[in-house]
Amino acid sequence: MSMTLPPKTPSGGRDPAAISGWAQHPDRVGFFTDTSICIGCKACEVACKEWNEVPDDGLNWLGQSYDHTGELGADTWRHVQFIEQRKRPGTADEGLDAPLIEHVPLAQLGREEGFRWLMSSDVCKHCTSAACLDVCPTGALFRTEFGTVVVQADICNGCGYCVPACPFGVIDQRRGDGRVWKCTLCYDRLKGGFEPACAQACPTNSIQFGPLDELKVRANRRVRQLHEQGFTDARLYGADPDDGVGGLGAFFLLMDEPEVYRLPPDPVVPTRDLPAMWGAAAKAATALAVATVAAFMAGRR
Amino acid sequence: MSTTEERSVAATNADGSERRRSAGRALVPDVEVRTYYDRSVLKRPTWKHWIAEYFFLGGLSAGSSLLAFGASRTGRRALARRSRLVALAAVGGGGAALVADLGRPERFANMLRVAKVTSPMSVGSWVLAAYGPATGVAAAADVLGVFPRLGAAAEGVAAALAPVVATYTAVLVADTSVPAWHGARGELPYLFAASAGASAGAAALALTPVAENGPARCWAVAGALGEVAASTIMERRLGELAEPYHTGRAGILSKAASACALAGAAVGLLRGRRRRGAIISGALVAAGSLLERFAVLEAGRQSAADPKYVVKPQRERLDATRPSESE
């Protein structure tokens, strides 16, 4: 239950497996996706599909640069994004809001004019306070011993509650199947002592897998390094254990604001307000009961 | 190159391009929200029309159980019997609608596999599992004329659970990331309670002889007015997030719901003591309640579909708290 956040570990992280009934459990693991070194090869998308036998999600021309996948969903568990910006890499804000990129053929864009291509491999965030897991009425969604969030396909009855609950728009119902699907952080591979397929396939180490505490140390070092090199817009997303979802199990190094990457700028788990919501419902329910008495008292006259 | 003035005029995409949608449709006025190719941050709810129908039928059943309880305690036998039967039929139909909406209907029993207080749907499933059979026993005992004490006890259980059945659905939709629902978490329970009362009053008003329809008339009129008042207050408090309730299909549904509710209340007040007036009033108020449920469902879909409703409030919240670094 995430109405109360799991207590912090000595290293400053949070341990959701411990409050989910795992007395003995391995370190919490996750992803650090360093988008500054993503080259957009989509090896992660392919490796994920292959390993997890995720069905195809259509061959579409979306007009989103080299992104023909669209967004995360029931049949897309890793998604590589392509963002084209008229901006010299390493400069702060110059030329950010330049006119439509389509007006200028890509080949004519000289380096001095400024052009940068942001690429990022998006994935389920495996939240510390996971809304999907909180609202699931069947227990199909559960917290693993690794601190990740996984759907049990043999339990899910397709009620769809987790879909609008997720603040990141990740989990979705699969058409023709009825159940919901999302990244499992390769639960089966973790059990066998392997790293997730996407991380193993990533040729630049943009996707790093490991114990979350270690990844955060590495990520902070990387941000400092980028700032020193003049890439002042580098920042971490989801690394703060005190944010609205208690921090993410899959966090990111971004080169622009989160919303540019289809990430909510300040996500909050909706169940955080659950006690207040039941309070409001209790008052409304009482009003309805009082109205019953009133109607029969009034009707008596 | 562009300046901040240009920036405030047009919403921009991640790549700096103007948002095409703002030119084509009036849905998105000029606000500065940066997005990934205009894609929604959230997934649209997968719930189909069944869910709006369940919200209506669950409310109708809950309200009818309360009316049945009051009627049997005050000796209105015709009102009591009709309300008991409506309560049973509505909860049966509502349950069927819930199962029909599942992606895997044959697994509906998994709803009772665990009990979770963090899931309003789990709480609701358990409440319904007690409430449904209670309405069945109450109605059966009455119609068959057997086990009067058991029937009365079942009626008491149904009436005790009814206020929960009528309002938990509001918590269910509010406990999501959908801006138009989560933002209305303080008001939706009142809207759903009023809607439940209105529909139950309406059904009883249309079905009960004039001699016993006093309380039903009272509920239909008060419920319909309460529903309009609650939705008005909700939209006022939502501020910018009220837009999904005004625009598109949700806007049409919402206006139709208010029109039906107000017309039904007026007919109920003026002609509710006559049979024909009671039937017309009941039909209008019930239609208003049903349309309101569809309006809420559609407004949620619309607010989830547009990234503006997610990004803008969060960006403003973040920018407001950023200097202090405390939140």
Side-chain angles (χ1 to χ4, degrees):
Chain A
M1 299 191 301
S2 73
M3 284 189 290
T4 49
L5 276 172
K8 282 193 189 172
T9 56
S11 53
R14 292 196 191 270
D15 182 9
I19 63 159
S20 304
W22 298 98
Q24 294 287 316
H25 64 85
D27 284 344
R28 183 182 186 189
V29 295
F31 289 128
F32 163 44
T33 306
D34 179 354
T35 70
S36 70
I37 48 170
C38 177
I39 55 169
C41 71
K42 302 192 192 180
C44 52
E45 276 192 29
V46 176
C48 174
K49 287 240 173 203
E50 290 282 334
W51 180 264
N52 294 299
E53 297 182 324
V54 180
D56 94 87
D57 43 10
L59 294 167
N60 307 309
W61 299 105
L62 300 177
Q64 298 180 185
S65 187
Y66 275 44
D67 173 7
H68 301 298
T69 307
E71 61 189 48
L72 293 174
D75 299 333
T76 304
W77 299 355
R78 266 282 179 190
H79 169 226
V80 181
Q81 299 167 308
F82 295 77
I83 299 145
E84 298 173 5
Q85 290 181 336
R86 269 227 171 162
K87 182 173 185 225
R88 257 195 299 278
T91 55
D93 274 309
E94 187 191 335
L96 187 69
D97 295 311
L100 273 173
I101 202 78
E102 291 110 80
H103 293 169
V104 185
L106 212 58
Q108 287 179 18
L109 283 169
R111 219 182 144 69
E112 59 285 349
E113 268 182 276
F115 174 76
R116 74 169 183 175
W117 217 355
L118 301 181
M119 293 153 214
S120 167
S121 179
D122 199 6
V123 70
C124 169
K125 317 302 179 288
H126 295 275
C127 307
T128 306
S129 251
C132 60
L133 170 57
D134 282 347
V135 303
C136 175
T138 63
L141 276 151
F142 78 111
R143 179 81 60 183
T144 73
E145 63 271 40
F146 302 101
T148 57
V149 181
V150 174
V151 191
Q152 299 173 85
D154 57 338
I155 306 291
C156 175
N157 66 4
C159 76
Y161 200 1
C162 51
V163 177
C166 174
F168 301 94
V170 171
I171 196 165
D172 203 2
Q173 205 168 30
R174 182 175 289 167
R175 279 187 195 173
D177 175 281
R179 292 169 294 180
V180 294
W181 300 85
K182 71 168 193 74
C183 163
T184 68
L185 218 134
C186 282
Y187 189 38
D188 51 347
R189 291 174 65 93
L190 296 194
K191 287 234 174 209
F194 299 97
E195 68 176 328
C198 56
Q200 184 165 345
C202 181
T204 66
N205 238 0
S206 169
I207 300 173
Q208 300 178 32
F209 166 80
L212 215 48
D213 291 340
E214 269 180 52
L215 292 177
K216 281 187 190 167
V217 173
R218 243 187 276 172
N220 283 316
R221 203 188 306 143
R222 175 70 180 152
V223 171
R224 273 199 304 277
Q225 186 187 36
L226 283 167
H227 284 185
E228 283 162 15
Q229 292 172 357
F231 296 91
T232 49
D233 38 15
R235 86 281 315 264
L236 295 184
Y237 176 82
D240 179 5
D242 295 317
D243 67 14
V245 290
L248 302 178
F251 66 101
F252 299 81
L253 186 154
L254 305 177
M255 300 303 286
D256 204 337
E257 300 288 359
E259 53 264 42
V260 168
Y261 298 87
R262 191 185 163 263
L263 294 168
D266 186 23
V268 174
V269 60
T271 39
R272 194 183 70 175
D273 301 311
L274 200 49
M277 288 189 260
W278 281 123
K283 283 186 208 154
T286 307
L288 193 60
V290 170
T292 313
V293 178
F296 286 94
M297 300 282 275
R300 193 173 268 175
R301 272 184 270 130
Chain B
M1 298 309 281
S2 64
T3 62
T4 43
E5 291 130 66
E6 281 177 53
R7 228 175 141 169
S8 61
V9 173
T12 53
N13 270 333
D15 59 359
S17 66
E18 261 179 55
R19 294 183 66 184
R20 273 159 248 156
R21 202 196 295 181
S22 57
R25 280 191 271 162
L27 232 171
V28 183
D30 290 333
V31 285
E32 197 202 324
V33 174
R34 302 175 73 203
T35 66
Y36 183 71
Y37 298 99
D38 244 359
R39 279 189 176 267
S40 168
V41 172
L42 301 176
K43 285 273 178 278
R44 231 172 286 206
T46 55
W47 294 328
K48 298 177 278 291
H49 62 94
W50 298 113
I51 294 303
E53 284 148 26
Y54 164 68
F55 288 167
F56 171 76
L57 290 170
L60 171 62
S61 176
S64 297
S65 287
L66 289 168
L67 278 182
F69 182 80
S72 65
R73 293 296 176 286
T74 54
R76 294 177 172 88
R77 296 183 59 184
L79 177 61
R81 168 160 297 183
R82 283 162 179 79
S83 296
R84 282 186 199 112
L85 291 174
V86 170
L88 175 61
V91 77
L98 282 182
V99 173
D101 193 77
L102 293 176
R104 289 286 173 105
E106 74 279 9
R107 292 187 183 174
F108 75 94
N110 281 7
M111 286 294 183
L112 301 182
R113 185 179 164 268
V114 294
K116 284 170 76 174
V117 291
T118 57
S119 171
M121 196 182 279
S122 175
V123 172
S125 298
W126 284 101
V127 170
L128 276 181
Y131 171 83
T135 60
V137 171
D142 179 26
V143 171
L144 302 175
V146 294
F147 307 122
R149 278 196 194 162
L150 181 66
E155 190 167 84
V157 170
L161 293 173
V164 186
V165 173
T167 53
Y168 91 88
T169 45
V171 181
L172 192 152
V173 294
D175 189 22
T176 61
S177 293
V178 175
W181 293 342
H182 192 68
R185 58 191 177 275
E187 293 80 29
L188 278 173
Y190 295 98
L191 178 64
F192 278 29
S195 186
S199 59
L205 186 59
L207 298 173
T208 312
V210 175
E212 288 191 14
N213 80 2
R217 209 167 56 233
C218 194
W219 260 34
V221 172
L225 296 177
E227 196 178 73
V228 174
S231 69
T232 308
I233 291 168
M234 178 180 80
E235 290 183 25
R236 192 162 298 163
R237 290 202 187 151
L238 276 171
E240 282 186 82
L241 280 181
E243 196 179 74
Y245 287 94
H246 300 312
T247 48
R249 278 187 56 187
I252 295 167
L253 288 165
S254 176
K255 285 182 193 88
S258 295
C260 284
L262 291 174
V267 175
L269 272 176
L270 301 172
R271 288 281 183 273
R273 286 171 209 273
R274 297 181 201 177
R275 199 71 198 100
R276 189 190 286 181
I279 292 171
I280 293 171
S281 169
L284 282 168
V285 171
S289 170
L290 180 62
L291 287 167
E292 186 62 45
R293 308 307 183 116
F294 273 102
V296 170
L297 190 70
E298 190 58 35
R301 284 191 190 133
Q302 288 178 187
S303 78
D306 194 320
K308 175 183 90 164
Y309 299 121
V310 177
V311 173
K312 196 165 178 253
Q314 293 191 20
R315 172 53 57 200
E316 284 167 359
R317 188 165 70 213
L318 206 59
D319 290 345
T321 55
R322 191 168 262 174
S324 65
E325 287 293 348
S326 59
E327 281 276 315

